[in-house]
Amino acid sequence: MESSNLSIFFFCCIFLISSGLIVEAQDSPHHHHRREKEETDDNGFRPAKLFVFGDSYADTGNVRKSLANSWKEPYGTTFPGKPAGRFSDGRVLTDYIAKFLGLKSPVAYRWMKLFGGKKLRNGVNFAYGGSGVFDTLANVLPNMTTQIDFLEKLINESVYTTLDLHSSVVLLSLAGNDYGAYLATGGTIQGLPSFIPLVINQLSINLKRLQKMGATKVIVTALEPLGCLPRFTGLSSYQQCNATRNLATNFHNLLLQQTVAKLNNDTNSSTFFILDLYNSFNTVLEQKGNPQGDLKFETPLKPCCMGISSEYFCGSVDEKGVKMYTVCSDPKSAFFWDSSHPTEAGWHAVYTTLKSSLGQLFQFS
Ligand SMILES: *[C@@H]1O[C@H](CO)[C@@H](O)[C@H](O)[C@H]1NC(C)=O
Ligand SMILES: *[C@@H]1O[C@H](CO)[C@@H](O)[C@H](O)[C@H]1NC(C)=O
Ligand SMILES: *[C@@H]1O[C@H](CO)[C@@H](O)[C@H](O)[C@H]1NC(C)=O
Ligand SMILES: *[C@@H]1O[C@H](CO)[C@@H](O)[C@H](O)[C@H]1NC(C)=O
Ligand SMILES: *[C@@H]1O[C@H](CO)[C@@H](O)[C@H](O)[C@H]1NC(C)=O
C-alpha cells in the first residue's frame, strides 16, 4: 500500500546501498576541473559548497530503499550504472547545479552519517524524495523544516560554520508533493487556491530561516508544469498537458515570485533566486528538445519507463520478481523517465535552458 501510494501521489524514491556514495565522490575529477574553468571563471561569487533541501528532483540517495522505486532496477542505469537512489535513469537537478558551480555533487546526508563526516567538502544533500514543506508521510520522510534542522545540528556541532553557509549556495527543490499529499488526503482541486498560499508561506519561513543561518545565495525552484507530468497526461495518450493542473501551478509560481521579490527587497539583498523549471520544462517540451538542438525528444510527454498497467509503476515486479514495467530502448531520446521525473537527458536539456539565468545570478553577487 505504501509503495503504490507513493508512486501515485509522490515523487518518490529511496534506498540503502553503499555503492551510491562512492559514485558521487568519484565523478570524474578531470571533467570537473575543466568545468570549473569553463563555467565559473566569470562568476563574481565562487561557492565553496552546495547545500540541498527538498524532494526527488534533488535527492541523490536519502530515502530508504523500502520506501521507493528509486533503489530498484531500472533506476540509475545510465548513471551510476545501477539503482542508487536517484529518481531517474541518471543524473538529476542537483548534479547539474553542482556541475555549474564547479563542485562535485554533495554527499547525501544519509551516507554522510555512515561515513563519519568525511566527504563534506562539497556540502551535503538533505533532500528526500516524496517530501514537502509540510508532512507528506509523517515520521518517514523529513519535511523541509526537519531537513534544515539537520543542517542546523551540523552547525551546532561545528561540522560547518555560519561562514561556510555564507560562502555557499543553497538549492531548494519543491516539485509539488505537498499538493499530492493534500489531494490524497481529501483535499480538492477547488480547495487548492486556499492551500497554495499556505505552502508558499511555509516555504517563505524556510527561506528566511536559511538566510538567518547565514545563507547568501539561495536557489529555489519554481514548480514544473504539473499538468505535463506523464501521470496526468496518460489519459490523452501523452498528447497534451492538463490545463487545470497547470493553472494551479501558475498560481503557485506567481505567489512564489511575489514572495521572493519581497524577501529580497525587505532584506535589501539578492539572496533568493528562482530557478524557473516551469518555463524550462515547457521550452523543452514544446521544442521537443533543447534550444541548442543537441538533445531531441520526439514524443516528449511519453515516459521512458512505465508500468504495464495502471496498478504497476516503473520498477514494479510481481511476487516472482517478474518485471511489471517496460523501458524504452534509448533513455536519451525520452524527456520523462517515469510518471513524474525527467531522464538524465531531460534534466540536461532543462539545465541548458537555465544556464544563462544561473550565470546572471552569480554576476549580481
Ligand atoms: C515537520 O516535521 C516535524 C517533525 O515531524 C513536525 O514537528 C513539524 O510540525 C513539521 N513542520 C511542518 C511545517 O509541517
Ligand atoms: C542548535 O543550537 C541552538 C542554540 O543552542 C538551539 O536552540 C537549537 O535547537 C539547536 N538546533 C538543533 C537542530 O539542534
Ligand atoms: C485535468 O485534471 C483535472 C483535475 O484533476 C481533472 O478533473 C480533469 O479531468 C483533467 N483533464 C484531463 C483532460 O485529463
Ligand atoms: C522594499 O523595502 C523597503 C525597506 O527596505 C520598504 O520600505 C518597501 O515598502 C519595500 N517595498 C516592497 C514593494 O515591498
Ligand atoms: C540597499 O542597498 C543599496 C545598494 O547596496 C544601498 O545603496 C542602500 O543604501 C541600501 N538600503 C538600505 C535601506 O539598506
Side-chain angles (χ1 to χ4, degrees):
M1 172 256 177
E2 283 91 339
S3 162
S4 65
N5 252 357
L6 283 175
S7 302
I8 291 172
F9 299 114
F10 305 126
F11 309 127
C12 242
C13 51
I14 302 189
F15 76 132
L16 250 174
I17 293 170
S18 53
S19 45
L21 338 164
I22 298 163
V23 169
E24 285 158 32
Q26 290 177 342
D27 187 8
S28 129
H30 300 300
H31 195 220
H32 163 66
H33 278 128
R34 192 174 55 74
R35 284 287 161 206
E36 194 161 357
K37 265 205 147 342
E38 194 178 286
E39 298 184 331
T40 62
D41 268 0
D42 295 338
N43 294 345
F45 178 88
R46 234 172 207 290
K49 304 179 197 313
L50 175 62
F51 294 100
V52 184
F53 304 93
D55 50 34
S56 57
Y57 278 9
D59 189 355
T60 53
N62 278 317
V63 183
R64 270 183 286 130
K65 208 175 184 175
S66 56
L67 279 181
N69 287 353
S70 60
W71 284 98
K72 295 181 187 159
E73 299 282 350
Y75 286 79
T77 46
T78 302
F79 175 85
K82 58 180 148 185
R86 282 176 175 79
F87 288 81
S88 181
D89 62 311
R91 294 169 181 83
V92 297
L93 180 62
T94 300
D95 303 306
Y96 284 102
I97 298 293
K99 173 173 147 166
F100 177 83
L101 300 173
L103 298 170
K104 288 178 189 170
S105 201
V107 65
Y109 180 57
R110 185 174 184 78
W111 299 120
M112 179 216 121
K113 287 193 287 186
L114 211 75
F115 277 70
K118 281 189 204 163
K119 300 186 180 166
L120 299 177
R121 210 165 355 126
N122 298 294
V124 179
N125 185 345
F126 301 94
Y128 283 73
S131 72
V133 293
F134 297 124
D135 287 334
T136 47
L137 269 187
N139 304 323
V140 179
L141 293 174
N143 59 41
M144 197 180 278
T145 306
T146 304
Q147 293 173 23
I148 298 172
D149 288 344
F150 293 156
L151 175 61
E152 192 178 273
K153 188 156 167 283
L154 294 182
I155 292 173
N156 281 0
E157 292 166 353
S158 302
V159 175
Y160 292 114
T161 64
T162 300
L163 219 59
D164 282 327
L165 217 56
H166 212 77
S167 59
S168 298
V169 169
V170 172
L171 170 66
L172 255 75
S173 168
L174 198 65
N177 291 315
D178 290 294
Y179 303 125
Y182 170 79
L183 294 172
T185 54
T188 60
I189 293 274
Q190 293 70 31
L192 277 177
S194 25
F195 181 61
I196 290 170
L198 303 183
V199 170
I200 297 294
N201 183 54
Q202 183 58 43
L203 180 61
S204 168
I205 291 169
N206 296 340
L207 293 174
K208 280 188 238 172
R209 179 176 174 205
L210 285 163
Q211 191 179 36
K212 238 182 169 168
M213 286 165 69
T216 59
K217 289 283 169 209
V218 181
I219 300 172
V220 51
T221 59
L223 212 51
E224 76 283 3
L226 282 179
C228 300
L229 298 181
R231 64 182 42 195
F232 303 127
T233 59
L235 280 178
S236 74
S237 306
Y238 310 110
Q239 293 304 302
Q240 56 191 32
C241 301
N242 183 309
T244 311
R245 289 186 188 267
N246 279 353
L247 225 56
T249 306
N250 285 331
F251 184 47
H252 171 104
N253 287 339
L254 176 68
L255 292 184
L256 175 65
Q257 207 178 4
Q258 291 170 349
T259 299
V260 161
K262 184 165 187 332
L263 284 178
N264 281 333
N265 177 62
D266 287 353
T267 55
N268 200 19
S269 74
S270 52
T271 298
F272 305 104
F273 175 82
I274 295 176
L275 195 66
D276 193 352
L277 293 189
Y278 189 86
N279 275 315
S280 55
F281 272 52
N282 272 346
T283 298
V284 173
L285 293 173
E286 277 163 19
Q287 300 189 1
K288 302 188 175 188
N290 63 347
Q292 290 77 1
D294 56 327
L295 297 162
K296 290 199 165 63
F297 311 111
E298 217 159 274
T299 50
L301 294 179
K302 191 178 175 192
C304 173
C305 181
M306 51 184 150
I308 57 166
S309 66
S310 60
E311 68 252 57
Y312 297 108
F313 308 96
C314 178
S316 296
V317 292
D318 71 6
E319 319 80 60
K320 294 185 190 124
V322 176
K323 291 175 188 171
M324 291 291 143
Y325 60 88
T326 59
V327 193
C328 65
S329 58
D330 181 17
K332 281 192 181 58
S333 65
F335 178 78
F336 283 111
W337 169 244
D338 62 12
S339 64
S340 304
H341 306 99
T343 55
E344 172 174 303
W347 277 122
H348 189 183
V350 163
Y351 167 66
T352 61
T353 70
L354 292 168
K355 242 163 119 176
S356 61
S357 64
L358 278 167
Q360 281 169 22
L361 165 69
F362 291 102
Q363 244 129 47
F364 288 132
S365 61

